Amino acid sequence: MTAGGEIPLDKIVLPPEGERIQVIEDKLAVPDCPIIPFIEGDGIGPDITRAAQWAWNAAVTKTYGDSRKIVWLELYAGEKALQRYGEVLPQDTFRAIEHFVVAIKGPLTTPVGTGYRSLNVALRQKLDLYACVRPVAYLPGVPSPVTHPERMNIVIFRENTEDVYAGIEWPKGSEEGEKVISYLNKEFDLHIPQDSGIGIKPISQRATQRLVRKAIQYAIGQGRRSITVMHKGNIMKYTEGAFRDWAYQVARDEFPEETITEKEIQQRYGGEVPPDKVVVKDRIADSMFQQILTRTAEYDVIAAPNLNGDYLSDACAAQIGGLGMAPGANIGDFTALFEATHGTAPKYAGLDKVNPSSLILSGKMMLEYIGWREAAELIQSALVRTIQQKKVTYDLARQMQGATKLKTSEFTSAIVENM
Ligand code: NAP
């Protein structure tokens, strides 16, 4: 097979070597030299992408020698795309990610309150990457603001395509906004002030259930103990409350042998969780933020609507060393876009200063996703060793006693030496 197969790309030249990852009979078929697209991203994106590719390539070479290699293909989004294509998110980028199935990206700028909508949200929606998967686990040696960071070992499945992130909103005074407000006030006898901005929060049964299905499948497959549905259903009954009900329905209808609810544990098993069952439970969003701090070890896989999941991911990341340490991925049925979970930190752009660990660990997730587990493990062990040697970037150094503060490139070099 040739590099790309049939794919109509405008300004992207396919590499002469490598093959594409394919989905064959509902499974990923990964060649020894897969072409994997990457987007550098804005701000600190180029700094961390350069570093991370160095670490990923080194891990693959050290693990598999010449028998396996990633062939990188650069795609464009954000400022770099604007220069090359005159638009921030060209069709080439969508087409190539769909075609090559697995890709990875740095952070992209999103203007607040004005300008274009989030490129990250657009990528997730257009490619139907409906699950934002964020593992949050403590790595030994990483400084943390809590007493027992090692108790944190969760994976958040955040719904990625709807909720208030669906992008259905209009500014105060706009024709559309005024129309919606007038309609609601007239038809439903409401009193929404005419000078309001207005947004819509759709949460559907289908999107909820495919997200929860993925989370339950993951929990069962990885031998996890529980899945917690996080919602604010006491207030938003027909969106977040329905999210909870639909989640329980998936567990009950599709995984009756593998899952059990807290109520069933009390009623049928005297409060003891039977072996080999994944407990399905739910928590109200505000209490979840408290519980994840005070009873951290009781939580494992968490399924949440978009906004809750976004907030919770960052709050949890704070306990294990901050945003610079937290990896993530946006995953559809098969297509997966791995990404650094932090933003573009523009004040540090080009300074060779920031922590590349979030992106490096997202790449580790990506290697696991394509089945290259040995290389993934090597990345993690080398990263842990480097941090335990107290060789770290500024963000961790300022929280550690006696640390050596390294630049992004020096830190990456230390990781590679530790492989
Ligand atoms: P941010 O870029 O994540 O930066 C906030 C702060 O987090 C930084 O000032 C820095 O804190 C710390 N930080 C972030 N990345 C770090 C790293 N790799 N190493 C060490 N510290 C790191 O958030 P923001 O300033 O709110 O957002 C900037 C832009 O990024 C916005 O346009 C936003 O929309 C976008 N964004 C994109 C994504 C994405 O592409 N997935 C995600 C979030 C935000 P200190 O200064 O305290 O050290």
Side-chain angles (χ1 to χ4, degrees), residues 44 48 105-111 120 124 323-324 339-348 354-356 394-395 398:
I44 55 172
I48 59 171
K105 66 175 269 295
L108 294 166
T109 306
T110 305
N120 301 301
R124 292 165 191 167
L323 284 183
E339 67 174 354
T341 54
H342 55 73
T344 58
K347 63 184 173 185
Y348 300 129
V354 294
N355 187 348
Y394 84 96
D395 53 317
R398 69 186 167 192

Side-chain angles (χ1 to χ4, degrees), residues 214-284:
K214 216 181 213 358
I216 296 178
Q217 282 165 343
Y218 174 86
I220 294 168
Q222 300 295 315
R224 293 277 183 159
R225 294 161 293 124
S226 71
I227 164 159
T228 305
V229 179
M230 175 191 180
H231 61 90
K232 188 72 184 164
N234 53 335
I235 304 297
M236 293 168 270
K237 297 180 192 303
Y238 309 117
T239 49
E240 305 231 346
F243 183 91
R244 182 199 66 169
D245 296 344
W246 291 326
Y248 277 117
Q249 188 187 35
V250 175
R252 194 173 57 238
D253 293 353
E254 299 180 26
F255 305 95
E257 299 303 322
E258 299 94 337
T259 61
I260 189 164
T261 62
E262 285 183 310
K263 203 168 157 193
E264 286 168 332
I265 295 169
Q266 292 307 328
Q267 286 174 347
R268 287 205 250 137
Y269 295 91
E272 287 288 314
V273 182
D276 303 331
K277 294 264 190 195
V278 176
V279 181
V280 181
K281 51 190 176 183
D282 74 278
R283 297 288 182 270
I284 303 273

Side-chain angles (χ1 to χ4, degrees), residues 32-80:
D32 286 335
C33 296
I35 296 174
I36 299 195
F38 72 96
I39 297 168
E40 257 193 355
D42 301 323
I44 55 172
D47 294 281
I48 59 171
T49 301
R50 204 178 306 118
Q53 281 183 326
W54 181 9
W56 302 326
N57 288 340
V60 169
T61 305
K62 281 176 201 271
T63 309
Y64 307 115
D66 291 338
S67 65
R68 282 182 176 169
K69 179 184 165 192
I70 294 173
V71 178
W72 297 106
L73 170 64
E74 180 160 13
L75 303 180
Y76 300 88
E79 287 155 23
K80 234 174 158 180

Side-chain angles (χ1 to χ4, degrees), residues 362-379:
S362 302
K364 177 210 160 222
M365 276 177 86
M366 182 181 78
L367 292 171
E368 285 168 345
Y369 191 73
I370 64 171
W372 293 12
R373 294 196 166 271
E374 306 82 358
E377 277 162 24
L378 183 60
I379 287 173

Side-chain angles (χ1 to χ4, degrees), residues 130-133 156-160 205-217 227 243 250 302-306 331:
Y130 56 82
C132 177
V133 183
I156 300 170
F157 281 73
R158 161 188 166 198
E159 204 290 322
N160 230 357
Q205 183 171 0
R206 174 177 167 272
T208 299
Q209 293 194 325
R210 65 181 180 173
L211 181 269
V212 173
R213 186 176 299 117
K214 216 181 213 358
I216 296 178
Q217 282 165 343
I227 164 159
F243 183 91
V250 175
I302 297 172
N306 211 333
I331 306 181

